Amino acid sequence: MQFRPALLLLAAAVLLSPLPAFAHAQLLKAVPGVGTTVTTAPSITLAFSEPVEPAFCGIALSDAAGKTVPLGKPASAADKATLVAAVKARLAPGTYTVTWHAVSVDTHRTQGTFAFTLAP
Ligand SMILES: [Cu+2]
């Protein structure tokens, strides 16, 4: 196997990290908010408790029938702890489900799902 010092350094950094094991990227706030009713949803914004790696994060949106709504690729905001994905379709009124997963900079993965409603 090829020697990969960068990976070894990453592994050492994770093992030696002074961060407590519970310091994963927890969802602090979402827009649209968890369980809320909104009149517009041009994008899905997820604010986490710690910086995340957008390349390893995903956000999916589906309508009440389970049909996937196209989203833009999630990008991180300036604080590195917020992901934003543009909604690439005109949404009809109804209930939508957001399913997300995130990998924080400490390489830990978290995931979750929540719903919001778009008012007529
Ligand atoms: Cu963690």
Side-chain angles (χ1 to χ4, degrees):
M1 188 181 148
Q2 191 184 350
F3 184 58
R4 303 175 77 174
L7 275 183
L8 284 178
L9 280 176
L10 180 64
V14 169
L15 288 173
L16 301 175
S17 171
L19 289 172
F22 54 80
H24 310 327
Q26 304 297 342
L27 183 64
L28 295 181
K29 182 172 183 271
V31 180
V34 175
T36 60
T37 297
V38 296
T39 54
T40 180
S43 60
I44 306 296
T45 300
L46 305 177
F48 293 96
S49 57
E50 62 179 278
V52 294
E53 296 284 359
F56 302 110
C57 298
I59 304 174
L61 182 64
S62 57
D63 67 15
K67 186 168 179 283
T68 299
V69 177
L71 296 179
K73 195 170 161 53
S76 65
D79 66 1
K80 308 279 191 217
T82 303
L83 288 177
V84 183
V87 174
K88 301 277 204 178
R90 179 179 290 269
L91 299 183
T95 298
Y96 291 85
T97 300
V98 177
T99 303
W100 60 267
H101 70 266
V103 173
S104 56
V105 293
D106 68 2
T107 73
H108 296 147
R109 181 186 163 105
T110 50
Q111 61 190 56
T113 181
F114 66 90
F116 68 88
T117 299
L118 189 68

